Amino acid sequence: SSNVCLHGCVDNFSSVLLDIMKVEKKSSTVAIHGCRSIYNLCSHEDIATSSRLVISSLHGVDVVINTMEIFPEHVILQREACMALAGLSVDCMQNTEKILELGGVARIDASFDAYCVSRFDESSLQAKIGACIALTSLATYPAALSAIRDAGIVKRIVHLMEEEDVPDKLQNSMKTLLESCSEFENVSAKLQEGADREQCCMALLANLRDVLPPSVIQRDKATWLRSIALHSMNAYTDSAHIQAMGCTLLSHVYVAFSTDSIGQARDIENIINALKAHTTCSTVVSSACMAARNLCSSLTQQMDSVDCDKLNIILDVMDHYRDDLDVIEQSSGALFALCTSSKNLGQIPEDKSIFTIIIESLQKHPHSVELYRCCIGLLWSFSSISGRVEEFVPNLVPLLLKSLDMFEKDDEMIDLA
């Protein structure tokens, strides 16, 4: 059917499906196919989101968990029910909260322990894998993570993985679950063990940086990711790798959500500290400037003022890395973002000759549209409050005229120029 037809039938089909499952709640066959249908609805890329919301409004989670309680030893049904809960909980906070409220973690845990003939016969194995998939889906939410940890599931999974007779496909499912459960509070204990603590922290940051681009960061997870980055950066100030990866992770979080929803503008202190400690490392400098830029751009309210020392530090970076296009683009962008996110610039860093740095940077990289965009913004920010702008007019005018040509279709940039 067409997508229009699919969307149109979700409400009616879900309602009929759940009514049948309620009426025929003693039928394991109905329960198996009902749970499988719920999972299919929640996994279809065209209707997944609407299906989760519709099924939630029809108390679908209640129906699935009730089914698990009626047939606790039916491993095939338990597998299908776990998969239904996995599908319902993806990117849907209300379903996840309902699963937790109804003791869903305990029911999934029981499914993992259920078996038919032996622990690893095919049906029992599939039930265990289904339970791992459901727990992995839930583990992206802090409250669910706490419930999984409190139930002792992580410890039991770790012990089971050490057994030699565990089939590979179950090993892989358990490994994925443990990776999802690598909550920073748990990893934190490992950081106290000594020599490997930095490697552990670096591995965690690298993993998060690589697998969590902004488009897939969930709102409730943003605070957790931010705390991982800040804690690691504060714990290992001398590690350039950790500072760079921490700043990159923060950048992802800031792009995904407004800063007021996950933390405060004080994060800028940590970012600037990374810059100060590792000014000779271009990777840290670029990552820190990108984080500062994204943070300021994500603020929903302006800061009262910008510390002149912070401006000086970023200007030093611009001055030092004039030949490095990536760094000069990120640092000029960070400086402009700081200016625009502040109600008051306060004392401008005259001794750094910001106009000289801008002029020479643009002359070195005449074809960088991004650099021109940031530098024109900086000129707009500083020219009205600086007492020295007149002495740079002969050099600035040709650059401004060039920017008018460069941005002829960008009304906002034309206005700034």
Side-chain angles (χ1 to χ4, degrees):
S1 299
S2 67
N3 288 347
V4 174
C5 183
L6 280 173
H7 283 285
C9 76
V10 167
D11 289 25
N12 290 335
F13 179 77
S14 299
S15 178
V16 172
L17 172 66
L18 292 170
D19 283 345
I20 293 173
M21 292 180 71
K22 292 173 187 175
V23 172
E24 302 291 340
K25 62 182 180 181
K26 297 297 185 181
S27 168
S28 61
T29 301
V30 169
I32 288 170
H33 290 289
C35 288
R36 187 175 298 166
S37 295
I38 290 174
Y39 173 73
N40 289 339
L41 283 169
C42 295
S43 302
H44 193 295
E45 61 180 356
D46 294 320
I47 57 173
T49 300
S50 58
S51 295
R52 293 181 195 117
L53 295 175
V54 168
I55 294 172
S56 174
S57 69
L58 296 170
H59 307 291
V61 173
D62 304 62
V63 173
V64 174
I65 290 181
N66 186 54
T67 296
M68 298 174 79
E69 293 171 347
I70 294 173
F71 301 98
E73 297 180 0
H74 197 310
V75 291
I76 296 176
L77 186 149
Q78 294 295 318
R79 149 79 181 189
E80 298 298 339
C82 285
M83 295 303 294
L85 293 179
L88 286 166
S89 62
V90 174
D91 292 334
C92 188
M93 177 66 79
Q94 59 210 64
N95 281 336
T96 300
E97 290 176 344
K98 194 65 177 177
I99 292 170
L100 296 179
E101 177 188 330
L102 297 176
V105 170
R107 287 268 29 111
I108 297 169
D109 189 20
S111 297
F112 188 88
D113 290 333
Y115 63 91
C116 185
V117 178
S118 66
R119 282 198 310 166
F120 300 132
D121 67 80
E122 186 59 29
S123 296
S124 303
L125 182 62
Q126 291 302 320
K128 287 175 169 52
I129 292 173
C132 286
I133 292 172
L135 292 171
T136 300
S137 179
L138 289 170
T140 58
Y141 297 87
L145 240 172
S146 297
I148 293 170
R149 184 184 64 244
D150 293 343
I153 293 173
V154 172
K155 290 182 179 179
R156 287 192 291 112
I157 294 291
V158 169
H159 290 153
L160 183 57
M161 288 186 70
E162 294 173 353
E163 297 184 14
E164 295 181 358
D165 60 339
V166 178
D168 288 343
K169 51 187 174 182
L170 178 56
Q171 283 273 11
N172 292 335
S173 295
M174 292 192 298
K175 181 181 178 182
T176 300
L177 172 58
L178 290 179
E179 289 173 350
S180 298
C181 291
S182 294
E183 182 186 14
F184 190 71
E185 291 176 1
N186 292 336
V187 176
S188 178
K190 298 179 183 178
L191 301 182
Q192 308 306 318
E193 294 176 1
D196 293 332
R197 59 183 184 174
E198 184 169 331
Q199 290 89 329
C200 178
C201 192
M202 286 172 60
L204 176 65
L205 282 170
N207 184 53
L208 287 169
R209 183 192 66 175
D210 292 338
V211 303
L212 287 173
S215 59
V216 299
I217 295 179
Q218 295 157 352
R219 180 172 295 277
D220 69 305
K221 200 169 184 178
T223 301
W224 174 55
L225 295 176
R226 172 177 165 270
S227 69
I228 289 174
L230 294 176
H231 182 102
S232 302
M233 290 169 69
N234 288 331
Y236 303 107
T237 56
D238 60 337
S239 169
H241 292 295
I242 286 179
Q243 298 302 311
M245 287 186 284
C247 286
T248 301
L249 180 55
L250 287 176
S251 295
H252 288 197
V253 174
Y254 299 145
V255 168
F257 300 104
S258 63
T259 306
D260 289 351
S261 70
I262 56 168
Q264 302 298 321
R266 63 176 179 272
D267 289 9
I268 196 68
E269 298 293 340
N270 296 82
I271 296 168
I272 294 297
N273 286 339
L275 265 180
K276 290 196 308 188
H278 300 279
T279 53
T280 59
C281 177
S282 62
T283 303
V284 174
V285 169
S286 182
S287 299
C289 287
M290 179 172 62
R293 182 178 188 173
N294 291 347
L295 181 148
C296 293
S297 300
S298 71
L299 291 175
T300 57
Q301 293 182 337
Q302 284 186 304
M303 297 181 286
D304 290 332
S305 62
V306 177
D307 188 341
C308 186
D309 289 340
K310 293 183 177 64
L311 300 179
N312 278 330
I313 290 168
I314 299 179
L315 275 173
D316 282 340
V317 168
M318 288 183 66
D319 195 18
H320 183 73
Y321 286 95
R322 291 185 202 181
D323 294 329
D324 189 321
L325 181 58
D326 178 57
V327 174
I328 197 71
E329 286 180 345
Q330 292 294 350
S331 56
S332 60
L335 189 59
F336 181 44
L338 272 172
C339 293
T340 56
S341 64
S342 173
K343 296 176 184 177
N344 178 22
L345 285 181
Q347 179 185 0
I348 71 167
E350 295 282 7
D351 58 318
K352 296 297 178 184
S353 186
I354 184 170
F355 298 111
T356 299
I357 295 174
I358 289 174
I359 291 167
E360 293 185 3
S361 298
L362 291 177
Q363 289 173 343
K364 280 182 177 290
H365 307 284
H367 304 298
S368 172
V369 175
E370 179 63 19
L371 181 59
Y372 258 86
R373 185 180 300 278
C374 297
C375 286
I376 295 301
L378 288 174
L379 288 174
W380 176 80
S381 298
F382 286 107
S383 59
S384 61
I385 59 174
S386 171
R388 298 184 57 193
V389 65
E390 289 186 9
E391 63 187 90
F392 298 100
V393 166
N395 289 317
L396 286 173
V397 168
L399 297 173
L400 289 169
L401 290 174
K402 179 178 178 178
S403 70
L404 292 176
D405 291 333
M406 185 178 287
F407 298 106
E408 72 176 315
K409 295 183 179 180
D410 188 330
D411 291 340
E412 182 181 357
M413 290 307 302
I414 290 290
D415 287 344
L416 283 181

